[in-house]
Amino acid sequence: MKYADLHIHTIYSDSTATATDVVARSVKEGLSAISITDHDTVEGIPSAVEEGNNHGLEVIPGIEMTSEIDNREIHILGYFVDINHPFFLKKLEELKQIRIDRIYKMIEKLKELGITNLSAQEVIDFSGEGAVGRVHLATMLQKKGWVYSVSEAFYRYLGDDCPAYVSKFKFSPEEIVGIIAKATGVPVLAHPHIYPTSELEQFIASLADAGLRGLEIYYPGYSEKLTETYRGLADKFGLLCTGGSDDHGSAKEKSVIGKVKIPYECVEALKQDKCQKENTT
Ligand code: AMP
Ligand code: ZN
Ligand code: FE
Ligand code: FE
């Protein structure tokens, strides 16, 4: 049997793991394919593909894009996106700048709460290349001794309902599905458990109408029963099934490469879907 992990972050978004580290751990876990799905950026893809080539590991270009509905974040994964697509790159540049502006706004809010010894530039510098986000800010708050852990930073300051939270983009999930499709990617709804169960079916129905092609049914902590429930929903709406660990290196220790291994047939189905789309467009 061949296995894959289709949800992995790197230092280009908010993981502590480099492509070298991700590829080494994936090979050690016996995986045949992985996808790098950084938040709102594809800057980490070329080096990860090269690293994969050097170690006989298939690295699929991916992204995890942020959308918002009722002030709640909904993440949409995009597989086999064209990382050189001019429209897509322009959109991602806009998102990168919005993320930078947002860090300045969050730092202002933190100042009002008495946290005065942390600058936006420090957080941006700490984040390095790619997309800056709340995990970077949370880590800096920890480094400066304001909180004991990243999760404390989230529940005290940075979580969606917390005093220093600033939202990023007002794109609807449907718009994001459209952006990924335009970049010739296959759009997939990430970790559906974050959505209220009573509304999930209706939500998936409307996203399927907008061009959604898959559902992430394998995810750390999902019981077999939950995975089967999601598989039922995927079948009902003609969606592919995907999954992965959502590895963030040491930034999120509960989600690590190896925790979720999905059948390689899922990758073949994604490729098939992309081919069919190419034939029809
Ligand atoms: P951002 O894209 O900047 O809004 O940050 C999103 C990241 O924050 C994702 O990787 C989430 O997993 C992470 N995140 C959201 N809520 C929490 C939390 N309560 N504890 C730790 N990480 C979180
Ligand atoms: Zn993340
Ligand atoms: Fe996510
Ligand atoms: Fe993720």
Side-chain angles (χ1 to χ4, degrees):
M1 275 290 277
K2 284 169 75 178
Y3 293 99
D5 180 338
L6 300 181
H7 190 153
I8 297 175
H9 295 267
T10 74
I11 49 167
Y12 283 87
S13 61
D14 52 1
S15 168
T16 54
T18 59
T20 309
D21 175 26
V22 162
V23 169
R25 285 188 288 131
S26 301
V27 169
K28 199 164 157 223
E29 287 292 336
L31 296 171
S32 299
I34 61 169
S35 183
I36 300 299
T37 53
D38 278 315
H39 299 286
D40 304 308
T41 181
V42 292
E43 285 179 48
I45 302 291
S47 56
V49 169
E50 191 185 334
E51 185 69 13
N53 283 340
N54 292 340
H55 294 85
L57 179 73
E58 180 179 357
V59 176
I60 294 162
I63 191 164
E64 181 175 23
M65 295 194 72
T66 313
S67 66
E68 209 183 278
I69 185 167
D70 301 335
N71 290 322
R72 204 171 32 214
E73 275 195 13
I74 303 289
H75 292 175
I76 310 282
L77 297 154
Y79 294 110
F80 295 106
V81 279
D82 175 0
I83 63 165
N84 297 310
H85 195 288
F87 160 83
F88 191 47
L89 289 180
K90 189 163 166 280
K91 267 283 172 255
L92 295 181
E93 267 313 306
E94 282 170 32
L95 301 186
K96 189 172 176 173
Q97 190 56 48
I98 293 171
R99 279 181 171 277
I100 291 171
D101 297 345
R102 170 190 188 226
I103 294 295
Y104 281 89
K105 290 181 193 158
M106 291 177 108
I107 289 287
E108 279 312 306
K109 288 197 163 190
L110 287 169
K111 281 212 175 94
E112 284 163 23
L113 296 165
I115 298 177
T116 51
N117 68 342
L118 179 59
S119 75
Q121 196 57 50
E122 275 176 281
V123 179
I124 293 160
D125 290 345
F126 168 68
S127 76
E129 287 180 271
V132 63
R134 281 183 286 170
V135 174
H136 300 119
L137 183 47
T139 309
M140 288 303 292
L141 286 171
Q142 185 190 11
K143 279 185 199 282
K144 297 249 170 170
W146 291 101
V147 290
Y148 289 106
S149 64
V150 166
S151 67
E152 187 189 345
F154 270 89
Y155 72 70
R156 283 183 62 179
Y157 301 112
L158 309 177
D160 292 9
D161 301 317
C162 295
Y165 175 72
V166 174
S167 76
K168 292 189 289 283
F169 327 119
K170 295 290 178 189
F171 290 112
S172 69
E174 286 83 358
E175 282 174 293
I176 295 292
V177 163
I179 290 170
I180 290 169
K182 197 165 169 183
T184 73
V186 182
V188 171
L189 178 63
H191 40 61
H193 69 280
I194 62 157
Y195 209 80
T197 315
S198 60
E199 296 164 30
L200 186 62
E201 183 162 340
Q202 184 50 46
F203 178 56
I204 291 175
S206 66
L207 281 188
D209 276 348
L212 189 78
R213 292 298 310 133
L215 187 64
E216 189 173 54
I217 72 165
Y218 307 98
Y219 193 77
Y222 283 12
S223 64
E224 258 178 54
K225 188 162 170 266
L226 188 59
T227 290
E228 287 315 307
T229 302
Y230 290 151
R231 192 193 303 282
L233 279 174
D235 289 347
K236 185 165 180 179
F237 295 100
L239 300 176
L240 303 171
C241 295
T242 75
S245 63
D246 206 0
D247 183 283
H248 278 72
S250 54
K252 259 194 201 173
E253 277 158 351
K254 284 189 197 139
S255 308
V256 291
I257 292 170
K259 269 215 165 162
V260 173
K261 294 181 179 177
I262 73 166
Y264 187 79
E265 284 82 62
C266 297
V267 175
E268 282 164 348
L270 280 172
K271 286 181 181 169
Q272 184 66 24
D273 200 70
K274 177 156 169 73
C275 285
Q276 280 170 5
K277 205 167 89 182
E278 276 167 359
N279 290 338
T280 56
T281 51

